[in-house]
Amino acid sequence: MGKTCSKTTSNLSVKRGERQKARNTPAGKETNAPLGVFVLEYDASNEDIEKTRNWKPIIKIAVSGAAGMISNHLLFKIASGEVFGPDQPVALRLLGSERSQVALEGVAMELEDCLFPLLREVDLGIDAKKVFEDADWALLIGAKPRGPGMERGDLLEMNGGLFAEQGKALNEVAKKTCKVMVVGNPCNTNALICMANAPNLDRRNFHALTRLDENRAKCQLALKAGVFYETVSNVTIWGNHSTTQVPDFVNAKIGGERCTDVIDDQTWLENDFTPAIQTRGGLLIKKWGRSSAASTAVSIADAMKALVTPTKEGDWFSSAVITDGNPYGIEEGLVFSMPCRSKGDGSYEIVEGLKINDWLRERIKKSEEELSNERSCVSHLMGVEGASCVILEDTLLPGEM
Ligand code: LMR
C-alpha cells in the first residue's frame, strides 16, 4: 500500500492527531477541520515512484447525498479507478447534511479500509460552498422524495430550492470546467435550475441522468431478442426522466441490425417494452421497498465513462442535456435527454439525423411539454418572475406509482 495518513501537505488537511480529534467530535459541534468534519489526505512521499510516475494530475469529484445508498455503491467504483482509469488519482469531496454527518464519517472509514491507491484525499462536509471548491466533477445525487399528499409542483419547489443553492455554490467555487451530473429527482428540471444559478459554468457542462433508463431499455431488448445485452446499441432515451420518457426502439440496433427487424413485434415494442421502461423504477421500489441504488450507481459510472472515453464509431449514448441549438426542434432552454456522442474529453455533441416517426414525435412532444411546464413552475428559482405554474397532468417520476 503506497500511502500513509501520517503527514499532511495541504492547508486543507489536518494532522493525524487533529483528525482523530475531529473525528471524535460529536456531529453538529464546531471542529477545527476545514470542511466542518474532517479531511483525510495521504502523504505520497514514501510511495513507489515507478508506480505513480505516469499518473495524471489529481481530479476532484464532489458528491452530494454522499451518505445515501446510491453513493454507497458509486464512491467505491470511482475510488477503485473503474470510472477514470488506472492512472487517474482522485480526491473525493463528500457533501452530507447535518443529519447524515456522522454516517458520512462511516463512509469515509470504509473508503480508507479499501486501500485504494488512486484515492488521494477524502473531504467531508455539510457546506456546499466548501465541498465544491475547485471541483472538476459534481455528482448531485441528494434530493428529497415526494412526501404523502405532495403535488408534483411541491416536489419541484422543495428540491428546486436545494439545486438553486448548489448551483450558486458551484458558480462561486467550482472550476469553470466542472462537469455536473444531476441524479436527484426530478433530475432534468433540477439540472436546469442548477445551471441557471451557475452562469459561470458552460450550460453544456450539465447533465441529468437518463443512462439508467438506457441501460434498462438495452436489457429488456436483449432479453426479448435472446441476445447478449452488449449487442444492443444506438438506444436513445428522449425527454424527461419520468413516465413520459421515450425509449427509442425505432433507431435502436441489435447486432448492427434494426431493432424492429430483429424484434418483429410492434405491439410488444409499443405496449409492453415502452411502459415497462417508463415505470421500471416504480416496480423496483414496489419489490425492493426502496429506489434503485446499485443500478443507478452503475449507470452514473457509465454516464461519466461515456464522457471521458471516445464513443464507439456509429453508436451513441443518452444524456439529458441543454436543448439550445438542438437539431430535433425541441424547445430551447430545457434539459432533455437526447442521443449524444463524445470524443472522450468530457464534452459531447448531440447526434443528428435520427429518424423521428409519428409514433416517436407524438410521445417526444408530450415529454417536451411536461418539461416546459416544469420549467414554468420553477422559473422563480431561475431568476424569472411571473411565469405561471400549470401542471396539466400529475405525471410521475419512474419511482412513483
Ligand atoms: C429510478 O428511475 O429508479 C429512480 O429515479 C426512482 C426514483 O424516483 O427514485
Side-chain angles (χ1 to χ4, degrees):
M1 148 97 179
K3 62 191 178 191
T4 73
C5 309
S6 59
K7 191 177 143 227
T8 58
T9 48
S10 140
N11 61 5
L12 266 183
S13 306
V14 288
K15 294 195 186 81
R16 188 178 181 81
E18 287 167 325
R19 193 183 103 209
Q20 222 48 44
K21 193 170 87 196
R23 185 179 278 181
N24 292 334
T25 305
K29 293 274 160 47
E30 196 55 41
T31 77
N32 58 0
L35 297 185
V37 188
F38 72 96
V39 179
L40 308 178
E41 185 174 285
Y42 302 103
D43 172 18
S45 63
N46 294 325
E47 219 159 33
D48 176 0
I49 189 91
E50 283 309 313
K51 194 170 159 196
T52 59
R53 191 191 302 281
N54 297 322
W55 280 11
K56 298 173 185 159
I58 195 163
I59 54 171
K60 291 185 177 153
I61 302 145
V63 183
S64 79
M69 292 288 287
I70 297 171
S71 299
N72 197 38
H73 293 276
L74 179 65
L75 295 173
F76 297 84
K77 291 171 135 335
I78 294 173
S80 72
E82 186 189 318
V83 175
F84 292 105
D87 57 352
Q88 178 60 74
V90 295
L92 289 175
R93 305 179 69 102
L94 310 184
L95 180 64
S97 60
E98 276 191 24
R99 206 165 47 87
S100 68
Q101 194 167 326
V102 175
L104 212 53
E105 296 182 20
V107 174
M109 287 168 70
E110 281 213 89
L111 281 164
E112 277 190 282
D113 296 345
C114 288
L115 313 179
F116 291 126
L118 291 165
L119 181 60
R120 313 308 281 185
E121 199 179 307
V122 182
D123 298 338
L124 312 183
I126 58 172
D127 179 351
K129 273 204 191 138
K130 291 181 178 163
V131 176
F132 293 167
E133 204 173 300
D134 284 334
D136 296 285
W137 286 80
L139 311 177
L140 306 185
I141 297 172
K144 292 186 185 147
R146 185 178 344 203
M150 270 176 87
E151 299 289 329
R152 188 168 174 83
D154 301 331
L155 178 75
L156 284 163
E157 182 71 30
M158 176 175 71
N159 281 320
L162 182 72
F163 284 84
E165 281 312 306
Q166 295 187 352
K168 285 182 188 136
L170 286 168
N171 197 51
E172 247 179 76
V173 300
K175 291 211 176 105
K176 303 279 172 276
T177 50
C178 181
K179 304 277 177 277
V180 184
M181 179 79 62
V182 178
V183 179
N185 280 318
C187 61
N188 298 53
T189 297
N190 288 341
L192 191 66
I193 295 168
C194 191
M195 176 191 295
N197 285 279
N200 291 340
L201 275 61
D202 190 326
R203 282 155 80 82
R204 290 170 49 84
N205 285 0
F206 289 79
H207 297 259
L209 186 80
T210 52
R211 181 59 182 251
L212 175 59
D213 308 293
E214 176 188 326
N215 288 356
R216 288 169 171 167
K218 282 179 165 164
C219 174
Q220 294 311 307
L221 292 175
L223 288 173
K224 177 73 175 173
V227 297
F228 193 55
Y229 64 86
E230 278 211 330
T231 63
V232 183
S233 64
N234 303 80
V235 174
T236 311
I237 301 295
W238 297 93
N240 201 0
H241 176 66
S242 80
T243 49
T244 67
Q245 68 176 266
V246 189
D248 179 349
F249 54 80
V250 176
N251 293 284
K253 291 185 180 161
I254 299 178
E257 292 179 43
R258 281 159 44 143
C259 164
T260 46
D261 289 342
V262 179
I263 300 175
D264 185 16
D265 186 346
Q266 195 68 15
T267 309
W268 180 83
L269 288 166
E270 291 182 8
N271 301 337
D272 294 293
F273 165 74
T274 301
I277 304 310
Q278 290 168 328
T279 60
R280 191 161 172 87
L283 182 60
L284 191 135
I285 290 178
K286 255 191 171 171
K287 291 181 185 280
W288 235 130
R290 58 150 180 81
S291 36
S292 54
S295 57
T296 303
V298 167
S299 71
I300 298 169
D302 286 346
M304 294 167 80
K305 279 189 268 183
L307 292 169
V308 297
T309 319
T311 311
K312 256 196 205 158
E313 188 63 34
D315 201 1
W316 57 75
F317 57 87
S318 300
S319 189
V321 295
I322 191 70
T323 49
D324 299 357
N326 78 89
Y328 293 101
I330 311 288
E331 185 180 339
E332 304 231 329
L334 299 175
V335 171
F336 198 91
S337 186
M338 286 186 281
C340 300
R341 176 163 40 224
S342 176
K343 293 191 174 73
D345 58 358
S347 68
Y348 68 90
E349 61 191 36
I350 298 170
V351 178
E352 298 187 25
L354 271 68
K355 174 181 163 195
I356 309 293
N357 64 14
D358 290 344
W359 194 89
L360 280 179
R361 185 171 302 107
E362 190 187 316
R363 282 156 188 81
I364 289 174
K365 191 79 205 151
K366 199 163 169 218
S367 208
E368 181 184 348
E369 278 165 11
E370 178 181 55
L371 280 169
S372 188
N373 288 337
E374 287 189 12
R375 182 181 54 190
S376 42
C377 290
V378 298
S379 57
H380 58 289
L381 296 170
M382 299 166 56
V384 181
E385 293 304 330
S388 57
C389 174
V390 186
I391 296 193
L392 299 172
E393 199 184 327
D394 197 16
T395 51
L396 302 171
L397 296 171
E400 299 174 326
M401 294 195 96

Short mmCIF file of all heavy atoms in Angstrom, two decimals, residues 70-126:
data_model
loop_
_atom_site.label_atom_id
_atom_site.label_comp_id
_atom_site.label_asym_id
_atom_site.label_seq_id
_atom_site.Cartn_x
_atom_site.Cartn_y
_atom_site.Cartn_z
N ILE A 70 -27.14 5.26 -3.11
CA ILE A 70 -26.53 5.30 -4.45
C ILE A 70 -25.03 5.56 -4.31
O ILE A 70 -24.19 4.87 -4.88
CB ILE A 70 -27.20 6.38 -5.33
CG1 ILE A 70 -28.68 6.05 -5.56
CG2 ILE A 70 -26.47 6.53 -6.66
CD1 ILE A 70 -29.48 7.15 -6.24
N SER A 71 -24.71 6.56 -3.50
CA SER A 71 -23.29 6.90 -3.31
C SER A 71 -22.53 5.74 -2.71
O SER A 71 -21.35 5.53 -3.00
CB SER A 71 -23.16 8.11 -2.38
OG SER A 71 -23.81 9.21 -2.96
N ASN A 72 -23.22 4.99 -1.87
CA ASN A 72 -22.55 3.87 -1.21
C ASN A 72 -22.05 2.83 -2.21
O ASN A 72 -21.11 2.09 -1.94
CB ASN A 72 -23.49 3.23 -0.18
CG ASN A 72 -22.73 2.38 0.80
OD1 ASN A 72 -21.62 2.73 1.21
ND2 ASN A 72 -23.29 1.24 1.15
N HIS A 73 -22.66 2.80 -3.37
CA HIS A 73 -22.14 1.94 -4.44
C HIS A 73 -21.16 2.72 -5.32
O HIS A 73 -20.12 2.21 -5.71
CB HIS A 73 -23.28 1.43 -5.32
CG HIS A 73 -24.19 0.48 -4.61
ND1 HIS A 73 -23.92 -0.86 -4.49
CD2 HIS A 73 -25.36 0.68 -3.97
CE1 HIS A 73 -24.90 -1.45 -3.80
NE2 HIS A 73 -25.77 -0.53 -3.48
N LEU A 74 -21.50 3.95 -5.61
CA LEU A 74 -20.73 4.71 -6.61
C LEU A 74 -19.33 5.10 -6.14
O LEU A 74 -18.37 5.00 -6.92
CB LEU A 74 -21.53 5.98 -6.97
CG LEU A 74 -20.86 6.91 -7.97
CD1 LEU A 74 -20.73 6.21 -9.33
CD2 LEU A 74 -21.65 8.21 -8.13
N LEU A 75 -19.21 5.55 -4.90
CA LEU A 75 -17.93 6.08 -4.45
C LEU A 75 -16.82 5.05 -4.57
O LEU A 75 -15.67 5.38 -4.90
CB LEU A 75 -18.05 6.53 -2.98
CG LEU A 75 -19.00 7.72 -2.76
CD1 LEU A 75 -19.18 7.98 -1.27
CD2 LEU A 75 -18.47 8.97 -3.46
N PHE A 76 -17.16 3.80 -4.34
CA PHE A 76 -16.15 2.75 -4.36
C PHE A 76 -15.72 2.43 -5.80
O PHE A 76 -14.58 2.07 -6.04
CB PHE A 76 -16.67 1.52 -3.60
CG PHE A 76 -16.90 1.86 -2.15
CD1 PHE A 76 -18.09 2.46 -1.74
CD2 PHE A 76 -15.90 1.66 -1.22
CE1 PHE A 76 -18.29 2.83 -0.42
CE2 PHE A 76 -16.09 2.03 0.11
CZ PHE A 76 -17.29 2.63 0.52
N LYS A 77 -16.64 2.61 -6.72
CA LYS A 77 -16.29 2.42 -8.13
C LYS A 77 -15.32 3.52 -8.56
O LYS A 77 -14.32 3.27 -9.22
CB LYS A 77 -17.54 2.50 -9.02
CG LYS A 77 -18.49 1.36 -8.84
CD LYS A 77 -19.76 1.67 -9.59
CE LYS A 77 -20.29 0.55 -10.40
NZ LYS A 77 -19.47 -0.50 -10.90
N ILE A 78 -15.64 4.75 -8.18
CA ILE A 78 -14.79 5.87 -8.58
C ILE A 78 -13.40 5.73 -7.94
O ILE A 78 -12.38 5.87 -8.60
CB ILE A 78 -15.43 7.22 -8.18
CG1 ILE A 78 -16.72 7.44 -8.97
CG2 ILE A 78 -14.47 8.37 -8.40
CD1 ILE A 78 -17.54 8.64 -8.53
N ALA A 79 -13.39 5.42 -6.64
CA ALA A 79 -12.11 5.35 -5.93
C ALA A 79 -11.24 4.19 -6.42
O ALA A 79 -10.02 4.24 -6.34
CB ALA A 79 -12.37 5.21 -4.43
N SER A 80 -11.88 3.15 -6.97
CA SER A 80 -11.11 1.98 -7.43
C SER A 80 -10.44 2.23 -8.78
O SER A 80 -9.59 1.46 -9.20
CB SER A 80 -12.04 0.77 -7.58
OG SER A 80 -12.89 0.96 -8.71
N GLY A 81 -10.84 3.29 -9.48
CA GLY A 81 -10.26 3.56 -10.79
C GLY A 81 -11.14 3.09 -11.92
O GLY A 81 -10.82 3.26 -13.10
N GLU A 82 -12.29 2.50 -11.59
CA GLU A 82 -13.15 1.93 -12.63
C GLU A 82 -13.68 3.00 -13.60
O GLU A 82 -13.87 2.73 -14.78
CB GLU A 82 -14.32 1.22 -11.95
CG GLU A 82 -15.18 0.47 -12.90
CD GLU A 82 -16.46 -0.05 -12.26
OE1 GLU A 82 -16.41 -0.55 -11.13
OE2 GLU A 82 -17.51 0.06 -12.93
N VAL A 83 -13.90 4.20 -13.09
CA VAL A 83 -14.51 5.23 -13.95
C VAL A 83 -13.45 5.97 -14.76
O VAL A 83 -13.57 6.13 -15.98
CB VAL A 83 -15.33 6.21 -13.09
CG1 VAL A 83 -15.86 7.36 -13.96
CG2 VAL A 83 -16.48 5.49 -12.41
N PHE A 84 -12.39 6.43 -14.10
CA PHE A 84 -11.43 7.30 -14.78
C PHE A 84 -10.15 6.60 -15.22
O PHE A 84 -9.29 7.23 -15.82
CB PHE A 84 -11.08 8.49 -13.88
CG PHE A 84 -12.24 9.42 -13.67
CD1 PHE A 84 -12.93 9.44 -12.46
CD2 PHE A 84 -12.67 10.27 -14.68
CE1 PHE A 84 -14.01 10.28 -12.26
CE2 PHE A 84 -13.74 11.13 -14.49
CZ PHE A 84 -14.42 11.13 -13.29
N GLY A 85 -10.03 5.33 -14.87
CA GLY A 85 -8.86 4.59 -15.33
C GLY A 85 -7.78 4.45 -14.27
O GLY A 85 -7.77 5.16 -13.27
N PRO A 86 -6.83 3.53 -14.52
CA PRO A 86 -5.84 3.15 -13.51
C PRO A 86 -4.72 4.17 -13.32
O PRO A 86 -3.85 3.96 -12.49
CB PRO A 86 -5.28 1.83 -14.06
CG PRO A 86 -5.52 1.90 -15.53
CD PRO A 86 -6.73 2.73 -15.75
N ASP A 87 -4.72 5.25 -14.11
CA ASP A 87 -3.66 6.26 -13.96
C ASP A 87 -4.24 7.61 -13.52
O ASP A 87 -3.61 8.64 -13.66
CB ASP A 87 -2.90 6.42 -15.28
CG ASP A 87 -3.83 6.80 -16.43
OD1 ASP A 87 -5.07 6.77 -16.22
OD2 ASP A 87 -3.34 7.11 -17.52
N GLN A 88 -5.46 7.57 -13.01
CA GLN A 88 -6.11 8.83 -12.65
C GLN A 88 -6.40 8.89 -11.14
O GLN A 88 -7.41 8.34 -10.68
CB GLN A 88 -7.42 8.99 -13.44
CG GLN A 88 -8.20 10.25 -13.12
CD GLN A 88 -7.42 11.52 -13.38
OE1 GLN A 88 -7.22 11.91 -14.52
NE2 GLN A 88 -6.94 12.18 -12.31
N PRO A 89 -5.52 9.54 -10.38
CA PRO A 89 -5.80 9.68 -8.95
C PRO A 89 -6.98 10.62 -8.71
O PRO A 89 -7.23 11.54 -9.50
CB PRO A 89 -4.51 10.27 -8.38
CG PRO A 89 -3.80 10.88 -9.53
CD PRO A 89 -4.25 10.16 -10.78
N VAL A 90 -7.72 10.37 -7.65
CA VAL A 90 -8.93 11.16 -7.39
C VAL A 90 -8.98 11.65 -5.94
O VAL A 90 -8.44 11.02 -5.03
CB VAL A 90 -10.23 10.35 -7.66
CG1 VAL A 90 -10.34 10.00 -9.14
CG2 VAL A 90 -10.30 9.09 -6.81
N ALA A 91 -9.63 12.80 -5.78
CA ALA A 91 -9.98 13.29 -4.44
C ALA A 91 -11.49 13.27 -4.37
O ALA A 91 -12.16 13.75 -5.29
CB ALA A 91 -9.46 14.71 -4.26
N LEU A 92 -12.03 12.71 -3.32
CA LEU A 92 -13.50 12.68 -3.16
C LEU A 92 -13.89 13.73 -2.13
O LEU A 92 -13.33 13.79 -1.04
CB LEU A 92 -13.96 11.30 -2.70
CG LEU A 92 -13.87 10.19 -3.74
CD1 LEU A 92 -14.24 8.85 -3.12
CD2 LEU A 92 -14.77 10.48 -4.94
N ARG A 93 -14.84 14.54 -2.51
CA ARG A 93 -15.32 15.59 -1.60
C ARG A 93 -16.80 15.32 -1.36
O ARG A 93 -17.62 15.46 -2.27
CB ARG A 93 -15.08 16.96 -2.23
CG ARG A 93 -13.60 17.13 -2.61
CD ARG A 93 -13.34 18.45 -3.26
NE ARG A 93 -13.48 19.53 -2.31
CZ ARG A 93 -12.47 20.17 -1.74
NH1 ARG A 93 -11.24 19.82 -1.99
NH2 ARG A 93 -12.69 21.15 -0.90
N LEU A 94 -17.11 14.89 -0.18
CA LEU A 94 -18.43 14.33 0.10
C LEU A 94 -19.31 15.32 0.85
O LEU A 94 -18.96 15.77 1.94
CB LEU A 94 -18.28 13.03 0.89
CG LEU A 94 -17.28 12.02 0.32
CD1 LEU A 94 -17.30 10.74 1.15
CD2 LEU A 94 -17.58 11.71 -1.14
N LEU A 95 -20.46 15.59 0.25
CA LEU A 95 -21.39 16.54 0.86
C LEU A 95 -22.55 15.78 1.51
O LEU A 95 -23.22 14.98 0.86
CB LEU A 95 -21.94 17.48 -0.22
CG LEU A 95 -22.95 18.54 0.24
CD1 LEU A 95 -22.31 19.54 1.20
CD2 LEU A 95 -23.52 19.29 -0.97
N GLY A 96 -22.73 16.03 2.79
CA GLY A 96 -23.87 15.44 3.50
C GLY A 96 -24.70 16.54 4.13
O GLY A 96 -24.53 17.72 3.81
N SER A 97 -25.59 16.14 4.99
CA SER A 97 -26.41 17.11 5.71
C SER A 97 -26.07 16.97 7.20
O SER A 97 -25.36 16.05 7.59
CB SER A 97 -27.87 16.79 5.49
OG SER A 97 -28.13 15.49 5.98
N GLU A 98 -26.61 17.85 8.00
CA GLU A 98 -26.35 17.72 9.44
C GLU A 98 -26.78 16.35 9.94
O GLU A 98 -26.12 15.74 10.77
CB GLU A 98 -27.07 18.82 10.21
CG GLU A 98 -26.24 20.08 10.21
CD GLU A 98 -26.74 21.14 11.15
OE1 GLU A 98 -27.45 20.80 12.11
OE2 GLU A 98 -26.42 22.30 10.89
N ARG A 99 -27.90 15.88 9.37
CA ARG A 99 -28.43 14.60 9.81
C ARG A 99 -27.51 13.42 9.43
O ARG A 99 -27.39 12.45 10.14
CB ARG A 99 -29.81 14.40 9.17
CG ARG A 99 -30.76 13.52 9.91
CD ARG A 99 -32.17 13.70 9.38
NE ARG A 99 -32.23 13.68 7.91
CZ ARG A 99 -32.36 12.58 7.19
NH1 ARG A 99 -32.46 11.41 7.78
NH2 ARG A 99 -32.42 12.64 5.88
N SER A 100 -26.86 13.56 8.28
CA SER A 100 -26.07 12.42 7.79
C SER A 100 -24.58 12.56 8.10
O SER A 100 -23.77 11.74 7.66
CB SER A 100 -26.24 12.29 6.27
OG SER A 100 -25.65 13.37 5.61
N GLN A 101 -24.24 13.59 8.86
CA GLN A 101 -22.83 13.91 9.07
C GLN A 101 -22.03 12.74 9.66
O GLN A 101 -20.93 12.43 9.20
CB GLN A 101 -22.77 15.11 10.00
CG GLN A 101 -21.43 15.78 10.06
CD GLN A 101 -21.56 17.13 10.75
OE1 GLN A 101 -22.58 17.80 10.60
NE2 GLN A 101 -20.55 17.51 11.48
N VAL A 102 -22.60 12.10 10.65
CA VAL A 102 -21.86 11.01 11.29
C VAL A 102 -21.77 9.80 10.35
O VAL A 102 -20.72 9.16 10.23
CB VAL A 102 -22.51 10.63 12.64
CG1 VAL A 102 -21.82 9.41 13.25
CG2 VAL A 102 -22.42 11.82 13.60
N ALA A 103 -22.88 9.53 9.63
CA ALA A 103 -22.87 8.43 8.66
C ALA A 103 -21.78 8.66 7.61
O ALA A 103 -21.11 7.72 7.16
CB ALA A 103 -24.23 8.31 8.00
N LEU A 104 -21.60 9.92 7.26
CA LEU A 104 -20.58 10.26 6.26
C LEU A 104 -19.19 9.87 6.76
O LEU A 104 -18.34 9.44 5.98
CB LEU A 104 -20.65 11.78 6.04
CG LEU A 104 -20.32 12.33 4.68
CD1 LEU A 104 -21.13 11.66 3.60
CD2 LEU A 104 -20.58 13.84 4.65
N GLU A 105 -18.97 10.02 8.03
CA GLU A 105 -17.69 9.61 8.59
C GLU A 105 -17.52 8.10 8.45
O GLU A 105 -16.42 7.61 8.21
CB GLU A 105 -17.59 10.05 10.05
CG GLU A 105 -17.59 11.56 10.19
CD GLU A 105 -17.44 12.03 11.63
OE1 GLU A 105 -16.95 11.25 12.46
OE2 GLU A 105 -17.80 13.18 11.90
N GLY A 106 -18.63 7.37 8.58
CA GLY A 106 -18.58 5.92 8.38
C GLY A 106 -18.22 5.59 6.94
O GLY A 106 -17.42 4.68 6.68
N VAL A 107 -18.78 6.35 5.99
CA VAL A 107 -18.47 6.13 4.57
C VAL A 107 -16.96 6.34 4.35
O VAL A 107 -16.29 5.53 3.70
CB VAL A 107 -19.26 7.12 3.68
CG1 VAL A 107 -18.82 7.01 2.23
CG2 VAL A 107 -20.76 6.88 3.80
N ALA A 108 -16.44 7.40 4.94
CA ALA A 108 -15.01 7.70 4.77
C ALA A 108 -14.16 6.59 5.38
O ALA A 108 -13.12 6.21 4.81
CB ALA A 108 -14.68 9.04 5.40
N MET A 109 -14.60 6.05 6.49
CA MET A 109 -13.83 4.95 7.11
C MET A 109 -13.78 3.74 6.18
O MET A 109 -12.74 3.12 6.01
CB MET A 109 -14.48 4.56 8.45
CG MET A 109 -14.26 5.59 9.55
SD MET A 109 -15.30 5.27 10.98
CE MET A 109 -14.55 3.79 11.61
N GLU A 110 -14.92 3.45 5.55
CA GLU A 110 -14.93 2.31 4.62
C GLU A 110 -14.03 2.56 3.42
O GLU A 110 -13.35 1.65 2.93
CB GLU A 110 -16.36 2.02 4.15
CG GLU A 110 -17.18 1.27 5.16
CD GLU A 110 -18.16 0.35 4.46
OE1 GLU A 110 -17.79 -0.80 4.18
OE2 GLU A 110 -19.30 0.80 4.19
N LEU A 111 -14.05 3.81 2.96
CA LEU A 111 -13.18 4.14 1.82
C LEU A 111 -11.72 3.94 2.20
O LEU A 111 -10.94 3.37 1.44
CB LEU A 111 -13.42 5.59 1.37
CG LEU A 111 -14.67 5.82 0.52
CD1 LEU A 111 -15.02 7.30 0.46
CD2 LEU A 111 -14.48 5.27 -0.90
N GLU A 112 -11.35 4.38 3.39
CA GLU A 112 -9.98 4.18 3.88
C GLU A 112 -9.64 2.70 3.88
O GLU A 112 -8.57 2.30 3.44
CB GLU A 112 -9.87 4.67 5.32
CG GLU A 112 -9.65 6.13 5.51
CD GLU A 112 -9.31 6.40 6.97
OE1 GLU A 112 -10.22 6.42 7.80
OE2 GLU A 112 -8.12 6.60 7.26
N ASP A 113 -10.58 1.92 4.40
CA ASP A 113 -10.30 0.50 4.61
C ASP A 113 -10.18 -0.29 3.31
O ASP A 113 -9.77 -1.45 3.32
CB ASP A 113 -11.39 -0.13 5.50
CG ASP A 113 -11.39 0.49 6.89
OD1 ASP A 113 -10.38 1.15 7.24
OD2 ASP A 113 -12.38 0.33 7.63
N CYS A 114 -10.57 0.31 2.21
CA CYS A 114 -10.47 -0.38 0.91
C CYS A 114 -9.06 -0.30 0.32
O CYS A 114 -8.77 -0.97 -0.68
CB CYS A 114 -11.46 0.20 -0.08
SG CYS A 114 -13.15 -0.24 0.28
N LEU A 115 -8.21 0.53 0.88
CA LEU A 115 -6.80 0.64 0.42
C LEU A 115 -6.71 0.96 -1.07
O LEU A 115 -5.88 0.40 -1.78
CB LEU A 115 -6.03 -0.67 0.69
CG LEU A 115 -6.16 -1.31 2.07
CD1 LEU A 115 -5.34 -2.59 2.12
CD2 LEU A 115 -5.73 -0.37 3.18
N PHE A 116 -7.56 1.83 -1.55
CA PHE A 116 -7.49 2.19 -2.97
C PHE A 116 -6.29 3.11 -3.22
O PHE A 116 -6.27 4.23 -2.72
CB PHE A 116 -8.75 2.95 -3.40
CG PHE A 116 -10.01 2.12 -3.42
CD1 PHE A 116 -11.13 2.54 -2.73
CD2 PHE A 116 -10.09 0.96 -4.18
CE1 PHE A 116 -12.30 1.81 -2.77
CE2 PHE A 116 -11.26 0.22 -4.22
CZ PHE A 116 -12.37 0.65 -3.51
N PRO A 117 -5.29 2.69 -3.99
CA PRO A 117 -4.12 3.54 -4.20
C PRO A 117 -4.47 4.87 -4.88
O PRO A 117 -3.83 5.88 -4.62
CB PRO A 117 -3.21 2.71 -5.11
CG PRO A 117 -3.74 1.34 -5.07
CD PRO A 117 -5.18 1.40 -4.69
N LEU A 118 -5.48 4.85 -5.74
CA LEU A 118 -5.79 6.08 -6.50
C LEU A 118 -6.55 7.11 -5.67
O LEU A 118 -6.68 8.26 -6.08
CB LEU A 118 -6.63 5.73 -7.74
CG LEU A 118 -5.90 4.96 -8.84
CD1 LEU A 118 -6.90 4.35 -9.81
CD2 LEU A 118 -4.94 5.87 -9.59
N LEU A 119 -7.05 6.71 -4.54
CA LEU A 119 -7.82 7.64 -3.71
C LEU A 119 -6.83 8.43 -2.85
O LEU A 119 -6.22 7.91 -1.93
CB LEU A 119 -8.80 6.87 -2.83
CG LEU A 119 -9.68 7.72 -1.92
CD1 LEU A 119 -10.53 8.69 -2.71
CD2 LEU A 119 -10.55 6.85 -1.03
N ARG A 120 -6.68 9.71 -3.17
CA ARG A 120 -5.64 10.51 -2.53
C ARG A 120 -6.17 11.39 -1.42
O ARG A 120 -5.41 11.91 -0.63
CB ARG A 120 -4.95 11.42 -3.57
CG ARG A 120 -4.57 10.72 -4.83
CD ARG A 120 -3.76 9.48 -4.61
NE ARG A 120 -2.36 9.77 -4.33
CZ ARG A 120 -1.42 8.84 -4.18
NH1 ARG A 120 -1.74 7.57 -4.28
NH2 ARG A 120 -0.18 9.18 -3.93
N GLU A 121 -7.46 11.62 -1.39
CA GLU A 121 -7.97 12.58 -0.42
C GLU A 121 -9.48 12.35 -0.27
O GLU A 121 -10.15 12.06 -1.24
CB GLU A 121 -7.74 13.98 -1.00
CG GLU A 121 -7.77 15.09 -0.02
CD GLU A 121 -7.51 16.42 -0.74
OE1 GLU A 121 -6.50 16.53 -1.46
OE2 GLU A 121 -8.35 17.31 -0.61
N VAL A 122 -9.94 12.44 0.95
CA VAL A 122 -11.39 12.39 1.19
C VAL A 122 -11.74 13.57 2.07
O VAL A 122 -11.22 13.69 3.17
CB VAL A 122 -11.81 11.08 1.89
CG1 VAL A 122 -13.33 11.04 2.07
CG2 VAL A 122 -11.35 9.86 1.12
N ASP A 123 -12.58 14.43 1.58
CA ASP A 123 -13.02 15.59 2.36
C ASP A 123 -14.51 15.42 2.64
O ASP A 123 -15.26 15.03 1.74
CB ASP A 123 -12.86 16.89 1.56
CG ASP A 123 -11.43 17.19 1.19
OD1 ASP A 123 -10.54 16.67 1.86
OD2 ASP A 123 -11.22 17.94 0.24
N LEU A 124 -14.91 15.72 3.83
CA LEU A 124 -16.32 15.61 4.18
C LEU A 124 -16.85 16.96 4.62
O LEU A 124 -16.12 17.73 5.24
CB LEU A 124 -16.51 14.66 5.36
CG LEU A 124 -15.80 13.31 5.31
CD1 LEU A 124 -16.18 12.51 6.55
CD2 LEU A 124 -16.19 12.55 4.07
N GLY A 125 -18.09 17.23 4.34
CA GLY A 125 -18.63 18.50 4.82
C GLY A 125 -20.11 18.63 4.59
O GLY A 125 -20.73 17.81 3.89
N ILE A 126 -20.67 19.66 5.17
CA ILE A 126 -22.10 19.90 5.01
C ILE A 126 -22.37 21.27 4.40
O ILE A 126 -23.51 21.68 4.26
CB ILE A 126 -22.86 19.76 6.36
CG1 ILE A 126 -22.31 20.73 7.41
CG2 ILE A 126 -22.77 18.33 6.86
CD1 ILE A 126 -23.14 20.75 8.69
#
